[in-house]
């Protein structure tokens, strides 16, 4: 099936959806079309304009559109979840994001893509996973006394963090022991995974826990969604966030550790059912052997792409844990971008750097850079920037990348961007000139 943009009014998405979804034959997308639709679905095609920065409502709206935002301990520049929102919305006040978690209660943390921030309405749909963790946790069963002690202290004394418990005497544990030798810390994690506790808030990156029944009264007593409802919940939201997806990509989007909420085979069956209901469009993507599906919201955007309208304009930097790039196979297939996080690779074996940020420029991943931020000196240093083969290192790209770097620096509270190395070397003077031009006349 092909789509003639002259026959459909892009201002009327329902008609567009009907035109796209009425044929039983799969719609054929080029890889570039699929890539642009994926970028648009993630809110990375253009940056909205705000008079005073994005509000809490806009931050929450963005997280709902993404479904979840992954958390990570590494903070070379900013915390990953903060970077993900900056990439899409620009500079904002991170305190607003923290307030959405507490005291607003609009966000919770759970194993939804690794550990992630998710809208509170996800809670009913993760309760089966909570019950699974409770049933499978042999450590918790063997240390019921520790769990009882932690429950009691929180019930009687209010919210607590790991730091509120003393480490027992004796040899220090292996440095890779994540609970730091405190059995209470492991108990806190077990009770959170099982749904008895919630992460009430974070101080810095330190979790503070409270009883779920106190924070979300009655939430654990309400009837569970059916397994059918739960499957549809996750598949619909994953497809919406991805824009275009195979069953494997859809399955991977929401998962706890390596265990997806909807396995690939079930995701394929659900997507097929959604296509018969007009809630998804079966597509083939050039270069992909697997069938794929298009989210209904992308119908009008596909018409615009084929008519040459609304091309992406945004240049930004992405966290290694950004929703767009966390499935490495997907970005290789759609973007031709081979990416891996080298934080756990020995330094002599790293190719690009410890914590490289992909560079998204007008809908393409054009390179990556290895940053560090000196909070005391307020300097964002780019230790190395690497452009992808075939990317034209010209003034236009330099101005765009410099603008993204300055914006990130200001979001961090910095006042200077320092560039050390470029590949290709010819890009260095262009980028330095663009950085200097942008900072000329600024006050420190």
């Amino acid at each position: 099936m092909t789509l003639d943009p002259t026959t459909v009014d892009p201002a009327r998405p329902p008609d567009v959806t009907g035109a796209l979804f009425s044929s039983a034959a799969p719609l054929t997308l080029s890889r570039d079309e699929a890539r642009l639709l994926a970028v648009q679905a993630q809110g990375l095609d253009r940056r909205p304009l705000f008079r005073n920065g994005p509000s809490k409502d806009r931050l929450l709206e963005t997280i709902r559109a993404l479904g979840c935002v992954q958390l990570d301990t590494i903070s070379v520049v900013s915390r990953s979840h903060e970077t993900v929102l900056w990439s899409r919305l620009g500079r904002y006040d991170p305190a607003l994001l923290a307030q959405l978690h507490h005291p607003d209660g609009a966000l919770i943390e759970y194993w939804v893509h690794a550990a992630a921030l998710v809208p509170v309405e996800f809670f009913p749909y993760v309760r089966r996973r909570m019950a699974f963790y409770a049933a499978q946790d042999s450590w918790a069963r063997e240390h019921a006394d520790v769990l009882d002690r932690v429950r009691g202290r929180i019930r009687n004394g209010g919210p607590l963090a790991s730091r509120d418990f003393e480490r027992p005497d004796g040899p220090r544990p292996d440095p890779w022991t994540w609970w730091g030798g405190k059995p209470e810390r492991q108990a806190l994690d077990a009770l959170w995974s099982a749904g008895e506790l919630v992460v009430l808030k974070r101080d810095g990156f330190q979790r503070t826990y409270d009883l779920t029944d106190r924070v979300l009264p009655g939430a654990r007593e309400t009837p569970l969604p059916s397994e059918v409802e739960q499957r549809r919940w996750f598949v619909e939201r994953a497809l919406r966030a991805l824009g275009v997806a195979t069953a494997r990509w859809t399955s991977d989007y929401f998962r706890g550790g390596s265990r997806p909420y909807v396995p690939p085979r079930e995701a394929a069956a659900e997507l097929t059912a959604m296509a018969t209901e007009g809630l998804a469009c079966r597509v083939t993507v050039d270069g992909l052997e697997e069938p794929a599906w298009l989210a209904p919201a992308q119908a009008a955007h596909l018409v615009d792409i084929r008519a040459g309208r609304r091309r992406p304009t945004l240049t930004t930097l992405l966290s290694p844990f950004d929703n767009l790039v966390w499935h490495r196979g997907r970005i290789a297939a759609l973007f031709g971008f081979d990416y891996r996080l080298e934080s756990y690779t020995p330094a002599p074996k790293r190719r690009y750097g410890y914590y490289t940020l992909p560079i998204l420029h007008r809908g393409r991943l054009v390179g990556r850079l290895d940053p560090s931020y000196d909070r005391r000196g307020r300097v964002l240093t780019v230790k190395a920037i690497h452009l992808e083969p075939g990317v034209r290192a010209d003034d236009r790209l330099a101005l765009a990348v410099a603008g993204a770097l300055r914006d990130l620096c200001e979001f961090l509270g910095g006042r200077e961007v320092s560039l050390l190395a470029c590949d290709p070397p010819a890009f260095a003077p262009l980028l330095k000139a663009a950085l200097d031009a942008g900072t000329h006349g600024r006050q420190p």
Side-chain angles (χ1 to χ4, degrees):
M1 175 183 175
T2 58
L3 180 66
D4 180 358
T6 64
T7 65
V8 181
D9 180 359
R12 300 175 63 194
D15 290 348
V16 176
T17 301
L20 278 174
F21 292 19
S22 61
S23 173
L27 176 71
T28 298
L29 303 179
S30 70
R31 192 173 76 162
D32 280 349
E33 288 171 341
R35 170 177 54 81
L36 293 175
L37 290 168
V39 168
Q40 195 284 328
Q42 283 283 307
L44 286 165
D45 56 330
R46 59 192 65 241
R47 182 162 286 169
L49 298 177
F50 303 102
R51 178 171 295 179
N52 298 306
S55 65
K56 279 199 292 186
D57 286 346
R58 190 55 185 267
L59 292 172
L60 182 58
E61 176 188 324
T62 302
I63 295 171
R64 283 192 170 125
L66 295 173
C68 64
V69 178
Q70 186 175 342
L71 297 160
D72 192 77
T73 58
I74 300 175
S75 59
V76 172
V77 282
S78 61
R79 297 290 182 186
S80 179
H81 61 288
E82 296 174 345
T83 307
V84 166
L85 293 170
W86 165 81
S87 297
R88 290 156 175 78
L89 300 174
R91 283 170 279 163
Y92 68 93
D93 182 358
L96 298 179
L97 177 58
Q99 290 168 20
L100 284 171
H101 192 176
H102 179 77
D104 296 0
L107 300 175
I108 59 171
E109 293 186 20
Y110 199 64
W111 301 111
V112 179
H113 189 96
L117 281 173
V118 294
V120 70
E121 56 263 28
F122 270 68
F123 186 85
Y125 298 92
V126 298
R127 284 175 56 200
R128 282 191 177 85
R129 182 58 53 88
M130 292 171 173
F132 170 82
Y133 281 128
Q136 296 295 316
D137 193 339
S138 59
W139 184 92
R141 289 195 299 273
E142 293 169 4
H143 297 82
D145 58 326
V146 181
L147 270 65
D148 285 341
R149 185 166 66 248
V150 170
R151 284 190 197 99
R153 282 195 58 181
I154 294 177
R155 184 182 301 112
N156 298 324
L160 292 174
S162 172
R163 62 172 174 262
D164 296 314
F165 297 90
E166 296 294 329
R167 193 179 69 82
D169 295 333
R172 287 198 168 271
D174 183 284
W176 290 100
T177 302
W178 64 265
W179 58 87
K182 292 182 181 181
E184 291 87 355
R185 183 178 178 189
Q186 194 167 359
L188 287 167
D189 188 76
L191 291 168
W192 168 67
S193 295
E196 291 191 50
L197 300 181
V198 293
V199 177
L200 179 68
K201 61 180 179 178
R202 286 184 181 253
D203 296 314
F205 208 63
Q206 174 84 215
R207 289 168 164 173
T208 297
Y209 298 84
D210 200 357
L211 299 176
T212 300
D213 295 339
R214 192 152 54 202
V215 177
L216 302 172
R220 295 201 298 154
E221 280 71 48
T222 56
L224 282 173
S226 71
E227 292 187 4
V228 171
E229 290 170 332
Q230 180 174 308
R231 184 166 57 246
R232 177 60 62 91
W233 170 275
F234 284 113
V235 171
E236 272 191 330
R237 279 156 184 76
L239 180 61
R240 187 186 311 159
L242 292 166
V244 178
T246 67
R248 287 191 303 115
W249 299 346
T250 303
S251 174
D252 178 78
Y253 198 82
F254 294 117
R255 57 177 170 81
S258 60
R259 186 182 179 87
Y261 279 85
V262 183
R265 185 174 296 180
E266 293 181 19
E270 192 66 29
L271 287 162
T272 300
M274 288 167 58
T276 65
E277 299 170 32
L279 301 175
C281 179
R282 176 77 175 268
V283 299
T284 60
V285 179
D286 290 344
L288 286 185
E289 296 181 1
E290 300 172 74
W293 286 264
L294 175 71
Q298 297 305 314
H301 301 298
L302 178 58
V303 173
D304 282 340
I305 289 169
R306 291 185 170 179
R309 295 188 293 264
R310 284 189 62 85
R311 305 291 290 188
T313 59
L314 178 62
T315 299
T316 193
L317 310 172
L318 304 177
S319 160
F321 306 103
D322 192 279
N323 304 46
L324 183 72
V325 300
W326 65 29
H327 193 298
R328 308 309 195 210
R330 179 171 178 262
I331 60 166
L334 294 186
F335 291 82
F337 192 73
D338 183 17
Y339 180 58
R340 60 174 293 184
L341 180 64
E342 297 181 309
S343 300
Y344 302 107
T345 301
K349 295 184 178 181
R350 291 177 193 147
R351 181 178 178 187
Y352 296 112
Y354 176 79
Y355 191 76
T356 56
L357 308 184
I359 304 168
L360 181 71
H361 174 63
R362 295 179 173 266
R364 297 174 58 209
L365 292 171
V366 298
R368 66 203 84 196
L369 57 85
D370 184 24
S372 67
Y373 181 61
D374 177 0
R375 288 170 176 79
R376 179 174 295 180
R378 297 170 60 195
V379 176
L380 175 64
T381 298
V382 180
K383 293 181 282 186
I385 182 170
H386 301 268
L387 298 182
E388 288 292 280
V391 171
R392 186 175 179 181
D394 58 13
D395 288 322
R396 185 180 181 186
L397 179 61
L399 286 168
V401 173
L405 284 168
R406 287 195 304 271
D407 193 73
L408 176 60
C409 184
E410 291 173 8
F411 171 63
L412 298 172
R415 59 185 179 185
E416 180 184 348
V417 179
S418 173
L419 176 65
L420 301 185
C422 278
D423 176 21
F427 191 53
L430 301 179
L431 186 53
K432 287 180 178 178
L435 287 168
D436 290 344
T439 57
H440 180 70
R442 289 174 181 260
Q443 294 299 316

